[in-house]
Amino acid sequence: MDLGYITGKALAVMREVPLCDRCLGRLFARLGYGWTNKERGEAIKRLVIMELHRLAREDSEEAMKVLKDTAQNIGPLVEHLYNELFGSKPEYKECYICGGLLDRFIEEVPPKAIPLLKSFDVRRFIVGVRIDERVRRTEESIKLGHMLAYGESIKAEIRREIGKRIQLHGFAADFTDPEATVLVSFPSGEVDIQVSSLFIKGRYWKKGRMISQAYWPSPEGPRYFSVEEASWGLLKPLGGERVIVHAAGREDVDARMLGSGRPVLIEVKAPRRRRVELKALENEANAAGRGLVEFRLESFGRRRDIRYYKGDAAGSVKVYKALIAVEESITPDDVEMLERELHGRLISQWTPRRVLHRRANVLRRRRVLGLSCIQHSNNIIECLIKAEGGLYIKELVSGDEGRTTPSFTELLSRRAECVELDVVGVEVIHE
Ligand SMILES: [Zn+2]
């Protein structure tokens, strides 16, 4: 029969299998623009019916037979002509790809997704689609069998159509930084939501000693109060499953974090509310910090910001305040010598003995960028040490039995020990 590309291909497919308007239109989805596949399929069916009718009128017996045999696969659009020609109504068959479920699926899923989005305070979303494997393969085999090069997948159509309908209710599709993914399964109609974490950029201070950064469980309860525990204060205003603190490095449990505070990215998993004033959040976190841990929350961030915080500590500069005791008395000249010798000096450190049980024994080299000391008594000095992130300060002072070199102990030829250590400044060098 003499038909065009679209009508010819469409008729060939429908002579084999029944297709609903949507599933037929989808096989030609990339032809024409700004229409739904339902509109495409309907238009194609009308045209195929008209072509068959034209051929039938030109006395083609073949066309009459094709019309009669294919009517059940075409569907209700052929009803009036069929009745006119054959005086009866054909029995229609269900769509071979979607089982006749797709139209209803697309209408019924958004009303299920919208309350979910609202319950998690989500405005920016994307749609994720799971397709039953049989459906996916059936569609593929039709496209391959008939060499249909202009189609799209049922997955793409569902994603777009569901997304469009949800957007009509004031939500925005966002492919780069969605607040949640609406997960829909075809044909079951199941709808689920994956809520993205909420990220908050800020800084923390540890005002006392014996406070750890991470939660430190033990059989008798937490070993120390922790920055992480303080951050749980955010769960009250935000809801959510848990909080993760991504910090740029960490100080020892017995070191305070003073001065500029330490940059931190706080991740709240599966929050129930996302639009709470930072000040209100800060207040809750600080209340949970009990005056021992303090936060300043600066702005909301994104997942990709993690790399700035988790990256190699070498990319940062730290300033420490160390109180140092020396075994025998030292002179102002000794102090001056220390400042001179260590300024800009590259320090070689084998992993300190105190952390060897949990870290590999490796040699690291970090630079002391500056040193400035005040002598308090004949054997006590207080030093401000500016260094590349990752330098172990207690060992820089003690020498760790020769594992760190040079060290205060080595340069003074007298045992030096860090009695108190505070971090007073942390700068993260962003790429
Ligand atoms: Zn269908």
Side-chain angles (χ1 to χ4, degrees), residues 241-252:
E241 283 164 11
R242 62 196 187 100
V243 185
I244 299 170
V245 173
H246 304 280
R250 67 174 65 189
E251 58 289 320
D252 292 328

Side-chain angles (χ1 to χ4, degrees), residues 46 71 89 126 130 135 176 203 288 391:
R46 286 187 202 277
K89 194 181 146 186
I126 47 167
R130 290 198 196 103
V135 173
T176 55
R203 283 166 182 272
L391 183 71

